Amino acid sequence: MHSYIRPGQYVAIRLQSDQLRLIQIVPDTIVNLGRFGSFTANQIIGRPFYFTFEILDACDEAGHQLRVVSATELHAETLLAGEGDGEGDDVETGENGVPMRTNREIVDENSSQKLTLQEIEELKREAGGAGKDIVAKLLESHSAIDQKTAFSLAKYTLRKRKKYLKRFTVLPLDVGLLANYLIEERDAQRSMELRDEHIGLIGCWGNVHHSGNIEVGEGMKPHGRYAIVDETGGLVVAAMAERMGILYPHDADEEPTEEQDVPAHDVPAHDAAESQHTNAPPKPRRIRPQPMSATTNTITVIHPYSQPNLSLLKFFGYDTNNPDESHPLHTHLKSISWMQLADPNSDPLYANEPPIIPAEELAELKQSKRSAYYHKRNRWARVKAVVDEGRAGNFDGLIVSTLLEPASVLRTMVPLLAGSAPVVVYSPTVESLVELADMYSTARRTAFINKKRELELQSSEGEAVDLSSLHEEFVVDPTILLPPTLQTSRVRPWQVLPGRTHPLMTGRGGAEGYLFHGIRVLPTTQNIQAAGNVRKRRKVETTSTPISDRDVEMTS
Amino acid sequence: MTSPFLTRNTIADKDSLALLQLRRDQIVPTILRDHDDENQGYWEGKVTNTRFGSFPHSTLIGQPWGSQIVASKVDTGSRGRTQSAKRKAEELDAEATTTGAEEEKKKPSLRAPVSAESGFLHILAPTPEAWTISLPHRTQVVYTPDYSYILHRLRARPGSTVIEAGAGSGSFTHASARAVFNGYPGTEEATKRRRLGKVCSFEFHEQRAAKVQKELRDHGLDGIVEATHRDVYEDGFLLGDPKTGKSPKANAIFLDLPAPWLALKHLTRNPPPGQESALDPESPAYLCTFSPCLEQAERTIRTMRKLSWLNISMVEVAQRRLDVKRERIGLDTEGVRGATLFPKTVEEAVAKLRSDEQRAKLIRDNRLTKDQPDYQPIAKETPFYKEKTDVPIYAQGRLTHRSEPDLRTHTSYLVFAILPRAWSEEDEQKCRDQWPSAKVVRADNEPKTSKKQMKRQAAMERAKLREEQKQSAERPQPDSGDKAEEEEIKEEETKQESTEA
C-alpha cells in the first residue's frame, strides 16, 4: 500500500496547471518545478500521499518551506466564497426570477484588465503569498469585475489561480496514473493509447489475480501462470503485475519469502565448490534468488526481439537492464522470444549446453574462469527451464496488446492455454480485431469442422490424420475459442459543482480502444465419432450445429 | 476450503461450483453433485436441464475445465407421473429411519447416462465475469465494465481490505474478492506478518444477506468475504458489534446504496470517542459511490466536501459490445442466407441491364421463328455475373461491425474520492527530525551506469591494460593480468552493492 512517500521512489507531482510530472524523490536534493518554484525533497519524504503543499516565500527557522493546504481550504476555493455550504441553486436572481447580473453589458474585448503585461511580470517577481497576491491584484484591477456573474467570476479566478499559485500535490505512481501520464504528457501511441477503463477490463476478462498461498497439490497445476504479449513498453505487464501483487517492491517486504523451489541450476554445487576452495570463513551466504525461478504467480512475456521492451517498469523500481534482485519481478517475470517458443533449437542460448566440467578440474581453474563457468551453466539452465515451461503451455490466461497480427499470436498461443483459460486482445483500433473475430465466426467454424471430418474419414484406420491442409486454410483453429466477443468502453467525466453540473466540455480524442475476449475450450471428439451413419450425420448437423451457431452468433 | 474462483484443480470436482455455458450470455450455474441432492428423482442422479438438452452431473464431474459436453437422453417425463411420488414417499419414510449404509446402497442404482446428440454445452471454471452473467438477480447488478473500472480506480489490490455496502446480487462481491485475494486465512503460519486481502460486505436486506452468505460458503469464499446483515446508515462499518466492534481497516470502500451520503459519517479519520475508525490509519482511503441519479451524486459530493474527501471526481462508464458480420451484396448471391441480392457495382448493374436487354431481344427474335419447322427454344445459360467463385462462403463479402442491438446507455454515476491517511503533529515532527529539510547535497548528475555498461567498461580497461603490458613487456610486472582482472571484478561487485544500497 502507498502509505507514505519513500526515499528513492518515483512519485507523480500534479501541478496547479493539472500537469503531471514523474519525479524520483532522492533524499537531500532539490526538486525543481519550473515556474511553480522548487523545494527540497526531504520536506516531502515520509509524508502521506495526496497532500497538497504550498511553497512559501520564506523558510521557517528549521528551513521548512512547505505548508499543507487543508481539504477545507481546497474545497472552499473550488466552490468559491459566498456560496455558503453550497446548498441549493446559486444563480443570483432578482424579484422576477430574472438573473440579476447577466453578460448583457459586457464588452467583448481584452481591455478590461488594466494591468499591463509588464506590470504582471514585475508582480510575478516581487509578489509573495505563493501567488495569491498576484491573483488578488489581477482581480482588483479588472475593470468589469462587478459585471461578471458569479459563475464567470469563479471561472476567471480559478483560471488565474491555476496560472500563478505555487502549489503541488504528491500522488503515488501506480499503473492507472502512469497510463494517464503517458496519454496526456507523452506520445500516447507508444503506450497504444491504453486507458484506465481498458486496463480494468483486460485484467477482469483475463481473470488475472494473485495465486494465493496454498501448496500446489495433487491434481493441480502451478496456478497463476499468465502469458503476456506486450508492445506498450511494459504498461500491460505492469498492470497485470499490479493485480498479481508483484509490482511494488515494498509489498514484498511485508510478504514472507515465498517458498519457491529454486530449480537446482547447479546452485548447491556452486556453493559447495565455493566454500571448499576459497577457504573463506563460513559466513551465512545469502541465497541469491535465481531470476525467473518462481513457479506460481508468474508472468511470461513473449517478445519478438531478443530482449523484451519493458522500460516502463523502471518507474516501479525494476530496471530490466540492471535488475534489483529483491524485486518480486526478478523471480516472477519470465521472458521468451517468439523464436525460442516456436523453434528453440535455433537459439544458441538454448541449444548449446555449456559442457559440464568435473569438480576436480573445476577446482584447478582460476576463480574468474570458475565464476564464468557457473554463470554460463546457470544462464543455460535458466533459459532451458523457462523455454521448456513455456512450450509445455498450460497457461492460465493470455493477454495480448501487440503490433503483430493478432491472429498469428493466437494461432501459436491459444493451444498453449489450459482449458477454460481466458484470452484477451487489446487493440487501439477496431479493424484488426474485427478481422480476428471473423476468424472465429460461426460459418468458419462449421466449415472447419466439416473439413476436418472429411479429412478424418479419408484417412485409413489407425493412421494419424494429416491436418496440414486444414491449418493452411484456417489461420486459427476456430473450435478452441468461445465465445469471441468484441467490446469497447469509455468513461465520461463530469464537472459537479452546485448548480453547475454537466459533462466536461472537452476531452481527449484519439483511439477508442477495443478488446477481444474469449475462453479456451476443449472440443469434444464425440460429434465426429457419431458421424458414421450418413443420415444420422445430417441429423447431427441440423441439430447440434445450429446450437453452436447461436452460441456465438454475431448478428442480433 | 479453497475456492474454485481463485485456485482450482484442472478438472471439475464434485461439490464445486461449475458454470455451464450454453451460449455467450447464457450461463447456468450449478453445484456439481454425485448424488441427487435436490431430490429431483432422475435415474441418472442430479441432472441440469437446459434448452439444449439434459446434462446428468455424472457426465460433468471429472471433466477438464473448458470441455465440451454432449447432452444425454434423460427421461424427464415419467418421473413425475410414476416413480417420483412413490420415490418421494419412500424417501420420506427412509429419512425417518435411514442409516448411512442404506444411503450407500441406493447410490449404485444410478443409471449410466446415454448420450443424446441433441446438443452440448461447455463446462467453465467459475470467474466473477461468468458468475455476473449467470447469477440469480436479486437487485440491479454491477456489470463487468463498471466493476472492472471501479476496482482499478479504488486500487483494490492483493492484500487490500475492501468495504462493500450493499452486497446486492453479489457480482461486485465476487470481483472484489478476486482483486484483494492473496491467500486463504488460516493456512499461513501465524508468525508471518503479511496482510491478507479481505472484503467486508454489508447488506441491509435480511433475506438477501442470508442468500449472499450461503453463496459465499458454497463458493468457498467465506474466508475472504465477511458478509454482515446491517443497516450501515445507522450502524456504520465496524465488524461485530456496531459500536465496540473491530475496525476492518479498510483501504477501499464501494457504496452501492440509495443514499450514500448517510453512510459517509461512519467513514472518517476521527470517529466518535470510544469507537475505532473503519479506515486503515496507515494508507489513503479510496471511495467510490454508485448512484443512478444525478441528484444523489450531487448530494454525495456535497457531503464528501464537508468531510474533507479529496480528488473528488465523477464519471459514467459507457460500454458497448460490437457484433461482427460479413455483409454480402451482389447479383451472384441468389440463395445465399443473409445476403442482399443487389448489384455490387455500377458495372454490374450495367452488365445486368445489358444482358437482360440482349436476352429479351433474343426471346423476341426467337418468338418470331416460333412457327417455323426448325424452331428451337433458347438454351438456358447462366449470366456471367452469377458464376460461382472459389472463395469459400465464410470469407465472402465485406467485414462489418456495429453495436449490439440492446445497449446499456446508463448504469450509474460513479463518484470517486480519496481521503489521505491520518497525519498528526507528532508524525510531522518525527519526519522533520529524520529528514532535516535544510540538508541538501548537490544532486548527483552523473547518470547511473548499468551492469552492462560497467562490464563493457571493465573489458575496455582490461584490453587497455593488456596493451600496456605488451608494450612494457621487458619491465617486470608486479601483478599478473588475471589478478588485476579479479580485482576489477571485485570492484565491480562493490560498486554494484553500493548502488543497490
Side-chain angles (χ1 to χ4, degrees):
Chain A
M1 287 303 115
H2 294 288
S3 50
Y4 60 91
I5 301 166
R6 285 159 204 264
Q9 186 182 19
Y10 273 97
V11 301
I13 290 188
R14 188 181 289 286
L15 304 172
Q16 278 295 296
S17 55
D18 280 337
Q19 244 189 342
L20 270 180
R21 290 211 186 155
L22 303 191
I23 290 170
Q24 193 177 17
I25 299 299
V26 183
D28 307 332
T29 57
I30 288 179
V31 178
N32 195 343
L33 300 178
R35 72 184 159 104
F36 294 102
S38 63
F39 61 95
T40 54
N42 286 8
Q43 297 185 17
I44 62 164
I45 291 175
R47 272 54 161 205
F49 282 104
Y50 298 107
F51 272 11
T52 296
F53 296 97
E54 188 168 287
I55 304 175
L56 301 174
D57 299 323
C59 319
D60 62 7
E61 60 280 4
H64 205 78
Q65 210 192 345
L66 296 180
R67 180 182 76 92
V68 176
V69 186
S70 72
T72 336
E73 202 178 331
L74 287 172
H75 286 316
E77 281 163 16
T78 337
L79 296 169
L80 279 162
E83 289 182 16
D85 55 1
E87 290 282 346
D89 199 336
D90 195 56
V91 182
E92 295 168 59
T93 47
E95 276 168 34
N96 309 324
V98 179
M100 280 197 330
R101 272 182 282 183
T102 66
N103 59 6
R104 191 188 296 177
E105 306 296 324
I106 290 176
V107 186
D108 293 335
E109 55 175 355
N110 291 331
S111 62
S112 313
Q113 181 52 258
K114 297 301 177 206
L115 286 181
T116 63
L117 190 65
Q118 255 176 342
E119 283 169 321
I120 294 175
E121 283 302 316
E122 212 163 286
L123 264 174
K124 271 205 233 167
R125 273 194 300 276
E126 289 165 11
K132 268 179 278 187
D133 293 359
I134 307 180
V135 178
K137 275 266 168 51
L138 281 171
L139 289 175
E140 225 168 78
S141 19
H142 194 290
S143 64
I145 204 88
D146 50 340
Q147 283 176 25
K148 280 186 184 289
T149 62
F151 294 166
S152 89
L153 179 65
K155 265 165 89 180
Y156 182 78
T157 322
L158 210 61
R159 207 164 61 227
K160 294 302 163 198
R161 277 172 176 279
K162 278 192 171 174
K163 206 164 164 189
Y164 296 109
L165 281 197
K166 288 183 172 175
R167 282 183 186 172
F168 65 91
T169 311
V170 188
L171 309 171
L173 180 55
D174 52 24
V175 170
L177 196 118
L178 180 64
N180 287 328
Y181 171 80
L182 293 170
I183 285 178
E184 281 160 26
E185 314 276 335
R186 290 296 169 92
D187 185 3
Q189 299 210 337
R190 290 200 22 215
S191 63
M192 295 176 107
E193 301 178 58
L194 191 56
R195 295 191 308 269
D196 276 341
E197 48 269 43
H198 288 126
I199 294 177
L201 273 177
I202 291 172
C204 280
W205 284 118
N207 195 26
V208 180
H209 61 89
H210 194 289
S211 71
N213 55 354
I214 55 164
E215 297 283 310
V216 179
E218 195 71 20
M220 296 175 97
K221 57 188 198 58
H223 21 247
R225 291 175 58 237
Y226 297 93
I228 299 185
V229 184
D230 179 11
E231 261 106 70
T232 59
L235 186 60
V236 174
V237 168
M240 297 308 118
E242 189 178 54
R243 295 180 66 95
M244 295 162 72
I246 52 174
L247 183 63
Y248 301 105
H250 47 266
D251 277 359
D253 298 349
E254 288 142 18
E255 261 182 75
T257 43
E258 270 178 66
E259 303 311 327
Q260 289 120 16
D261 335 24
V262 177
H265 287 353
D266 303 9
V267 170
H270 184 182
D271 282 352
E274 281 271 271
S275 56
Q276 263 178 34
H277 299 286
T278 50
N279 292 331
K283 49 181 169 183
R285 191 188 161 86
R286 189 171 64 92
I287 295 176
R288 294 165 59 187
Q290 280 290 315
M292 308 187 185
S293 60
T295 53
T296 62
N297 212 29
T298 61
I299 291 175
T300 304
V301 174
I302 303 127
H303 47 90
Y305 297 125
S306 60
Q307 291 296 322
N309 173 13
L310 301 171
S311 52
L312 291 176
L313 293 181
K314 76 165 183 214
F315 292 115
F316 306 101
Y318 189 73
D319 179 359
T320 39
N321 287 325
N322 191 11
D324 173 1
E325 285 179 5
S326 64
H327 198 289
L329 284 175
H330 183 61
T331 48
H332 292 258
L333 178 65
K334 312 181 179 199
S335 62
I336 321 182
S337 72
W338 284 107
M339 185 182 74
Q340 284 172 333
L341 192 69
D343 178 19
N345 288 320
S346 303
D347 180 40
L349 262 185
Y350 177 92
N352 304 341
E353 180 181 348
I356 297 175
I357 303 177
E360 317 78 76
E361 217 171 297
L362 202 60
E364 283 155 29
L365 286 177
K366 284 173 203 131
Q367 204 195 339
S368 60
K369 289 266 163 61
R370 208 162 52 225
S371 59
Y373 165 75
Y374 285 121
H375 178 74
K376 275 188 190 160
R377 282 294 300 181
N378 283 344
R379 188 178 57 180
W380 171 79
R382 183 174 71 230
V383 168
K384 184 158 171 57
V386 171
V387 171
D388 287 350
E389 188 193 61
R391 284 171 60 83
N394 241 336
F395 288 107
D396 293 298
L398 171 66
I399 313 289
V400 180
S401 64
T402 182
L403 304 170
L404 302 169
E405 197 66 51
S408 78
V409 173
L410 262 53
R411 178 195 180 108
T412 318
M413 291 309 295
V414 176
L416 293 179
L417 295 176
S420 206
V423 174
V424 184
V425 185
Y426 167 81
S427 168
T429 52
V430 77
E431 286 75 10
S432 61
L433 295 187
V434 168
E435 275 169 35
L436 184 63
D438 182 57
M439 297 278 180
Y440 291 97
S441 71
T442 310
R444 213 176 279 251
R445 182 163 48 250
T446 313
F448 181 91
I449 292 170
N450 290 339
K451 177 125 191 212
K452 192 171 176 190
R453 192 175 296 157
E454 251 168 55
L455 286 172
E456 274 163 352
L457 286 177
Q458 279 167 21
S459 77
S460 45
E461 278 293 309
E463 218 175 280
V465 188
D466 178 22
L467 294 176
S468 57
S469 66
L470 189 70
H471 293 299
E472 239 164 68
E473 186 179 341
F474 297 91
V475 180
V476 293
D477 180 346
T479 61
I480 60 172
L481 187 85
L482 276 177
T485 308
L486 202 50
Q487 190 175 33
T488 179
S489 174
R490 189 182 263 279
V491 300
R492 179 178 211 193
W494 283 62
Q495 165 188 304
V496 188
L497 289 171
R500 279 174 281 163
T501 300
H502 58 72
L504 292 195
M505 299 293 186
T506 55
R508 200 183 175 280
E512 198 60 41
Y514 296 87
L515 285 186
F516 169 92
H517 56 89
I519 287 174
R520 163 82 156 107
V521 293
L522 312 168
T524 175
T525 48
Q526 209 160 325
N527 262 350
I528 296 155
Q529 285 162 357
N533 185 329
V534 179
R535 288 194 67 179
K536 205 156 197 183
R537 190 172 107 200
R538 186 161 295 151
K539 204 181 163 198
V540 170
E541 271 176 39
T542 50
T543 53
S544 77
T545 321
I547 292 163
S548 89
D549 247 39
R550 275 179 237 148
D551 194 3
V552 288
E553 198 161 32
M554 286 288 146
T555 55
S556 52
Chain B
M1 172 173 177
T2 62
S3 167
F5 279 89
L6 304 168
T7 44
R8 54 174 169 252
N9 291 356
T10 45
I11 55 165
D13 278 331
K14 65 171 185 186
D15 304 328
S16 132
L17 175 73
L19 299 178
L20 309 178
Q21 183 176 49
L22 306 173
R23 51 161 99 163
R24 187 158 57 189
D25 289 327
Q26 260 184 3
I27 299 181
V28 180
T30 186
I31 306 237
L32 299 176
R33 301 285 187 201
D34 59 357
H35 57 277
D36 191 4
D37 66 332
E38 284 159 12
N39 194 19
Q40 296 170 311
Y42 291 111
W43 287 113
E44 288 83 2
K46 191 176 180 183
V47 172
T48 299
N49 290 308
T50 74
R51 56 188 300 183
F52 298 138
S54 299
F55 297 87
H57 284 204
S58 50
T59 61
L60 303 170
I61 293 169
Q63 295 294 326
W65 291 116
S67 295
Q68 189 178 28
I69 310 285
V70 178
S72 297
K73 281 182 187 139
V74 171
D75 180 5
T76 50
S78 62
R79 72 192 165 109
R81 281 200 312 275
T82 53
Q83 357 118 350
S84 180
K86 229 179 175 181
R87 253 182 91 158
K88 265 192 188 146
E90 262 172 36
E91 260 164 10
L92 277 177
D93 288 344
E95 243 170 67
T97 56
T98 279
T99 61
E102 271 175 75
E103 289 277 319
E104 283 300 303
K105 251 188 240 165
K106 267 191 209 162
K107 270 186 188 167
S109 70
L110 294 185
R111 270 186 203 165
V114 182
S115 78
E117 292 159 13
S118 63
F120 61 81
L121 51 72
H122 289 92
I123 178 166
L124 300 185
T127 62
E129 288 67 42
W131 175 250
T132 302
I133 294 171
S134 70
L135 56 79
H137 282 223
R138 295 185 284 261
T139 55
Q140 188 67 275
V141 175
V142 185
Y143 285 100
T144 304
D146 282 313
Y147 74 63
S148 64
Y149 182 71
I150 293 167
L151 286 167
H152 179 63
R153 286 278 304 260
L154 286 182
R155 279 85 166 171
R157 295 171 193 153
S160 307
T161 302
V162 174
I163 285 179
E164 176 207 32
S169 299
S171 66
F172 190 85
T173 320
H174 283 76
S176 54
R178 174 184 61 187
V180 302
F181 172 74
N182 63 343
Y184 298 100
T187 51
E188 198 106 336
E189 289 137 66
T191 49
K192 287 172 179 167
R193 82 188 174 86
R194 173 162 69 160
R195 196 173 148 170
L196 290 180
K198 193 170 177 188
V199 178
C200 304
S201 180
F202 298 90
E203 171 60 52
F204 110 117
H205 190 288
E206 188 165 8
Q207 210 181 348
R208 281 184 217 142
K211 274 190 179 150
V212 164
Q213 281 163 350
K214 181 180 182 308
E215 246 166 44
L216 293 168
R217 263 197 312 279
D218 285 348
H219 299 174
L221 291 169
D222 43 352
I224 292 143
V225 185
E226 184 168 341
T228 310
H229 169 228
R230 166 91 54 91
D231 177 6
V232 294
Y233 299 155
E234 289 298 318
D235 296 330
F237 299 93
L238 296 183
L239 300 174
D241 187 90
K243 288 275 176 293
T244 57
K246 237 177 82 214
S247 163
K249 290 200 181 348
N251 313 106
I253 304 109
F254 176 64
L255 301 179
D256 181 5
L257 301 168
W261 57 91
L262 294 178
L264 287 178
K265 59 178 181 283
H266 299 292
L267 295 167
T268 59
R269 294 284 178 201
N270 312 305
Q275 270 188 34
E276 272 189 279
S277 163
L279 307 174
D280 180 5
E282 289 185 351
S283 80
Y286 298 93
L287 171 68
C288 175
T289 69
F290 190 77
S291 318
C293 304
L294 201 50
E295 288 73 16
Q296 292 170 305
E298 278 184 321
R299 196 146 175 207
T300 308
I301 290 180
R302 220 176 296 145
T303 315
M304 282 175 172
R305 288 204 177 104
K306 275 187 205 156
L307 293 171
S308 294
W309 289 83
L310 292 173
N311 291 28
I312 300 170
S313 69
M314 182 172 106
V315 302
E316 51 176 338
V317 178
Q319 70 94 27
R320 61 204 163 89
R321 284 202 318 217
L322 302 174
D323 291 336
V324 175
K325 194 180 151 192
R326 279 193 175 269
E327 268 183 2
R328 221 176 138 217
I329 296 173
L331 292 171
D332 54 346
T333 61
E334 212 168 314
V336 178
R337 225 182 76 199
T340 310
L341 190 64
F342 196 78
K344 194 163 45 211
T345 56
V346 173
E347 285 73 28
E348 203 172 82
V350 172
K352 177 171 166 45
L353 278 180
R354 188 184 290 137
S355 101
D356 284 356
E357 283 304 323
Q358 278 171 0
R359 194 164 167 82
K361 185 165 182 286
L362 209 66
I363 291 171
R364 274 199 304 277
D365 293 349
N366 186 264
R367 208 171 276 156
L368 292 178
T369 62
K370 202 158 92 183
D371 303 331
Q372 285 169 18
D374 57 344
Y375 169 76
Q376 272 181 353
I378 313 166
K380 274 215 165 181
E381 54 179 59
T382 3
F384 71 94
Y385 52 79
K386 278 193 183 169
E387 269 162 28
K388 294 277 173 256
T389 60
D390 292 339
V391 181
I393 290 201
Y394 60 75
Q396 287 176 3
R398 177 179 289 143
L399 211 46
T400 61
H401 67 96
R402 64 191 71 194
S403 294
E404 61 188 322
D406 299 309
L407 285 179
R408 278 187 209 109
T409 44
H410 177 66
T411 52
S412 272
Y413 292 107
L414 313 183
V415 179
F416 292 96
I418 298 167
L419 195 61
R421 63 173 288 187
W423 194 246
S424 62
E425 291 286 326
E426 297 93 75
D427 292 331
E428 177 65 26
Q429 200 48 52
K430 244 202 222 151
C431 248
R432 287 192 187 192
D433 293 344
Q434 197 187 351
W435 304 99
S437 21
K439 192 178 161 201
V440 173
V441 184
R442 279 214 66 73
D444 199 10
N445 279 334
E446 219 174 286
K448 273 193 184 161
T449 43
S450 72
K451 222 176 194 173
K452 262 187 193 163
Q453 274 174 312
M454 286 200 299
K455 272 184 188 162
R456 211 174 296 140
Q457 246 170 8
M460 271 163 67
E461 271 168 35
R462 269 201 297 273
K464 220 160 116 191
L465 215 72
R466 251 176 248 135
E467 288 280 300
E468 278 169 22
Q469 277 173 8
K470 264 185 206 165
Q471 281 171 6
S472 56
E474 306 87 41
R475 275 183 285 159
Q477 284 292 320
D479 263 345
S480 78
D482 277 317
K483 258 199 185 157
E485 213 173 281
E486 248 169 61
E487 269 168 23
E488 265 165 38
I489 287 171
K490 264 186 208 158
E491 247 177 57
E492 256 182 69
E493 273 168 7
T494 48
K495 254 196 236 167
Q496 191 64 37
E497 272 167 27
S498 66
T499 50
E500 268 173 27

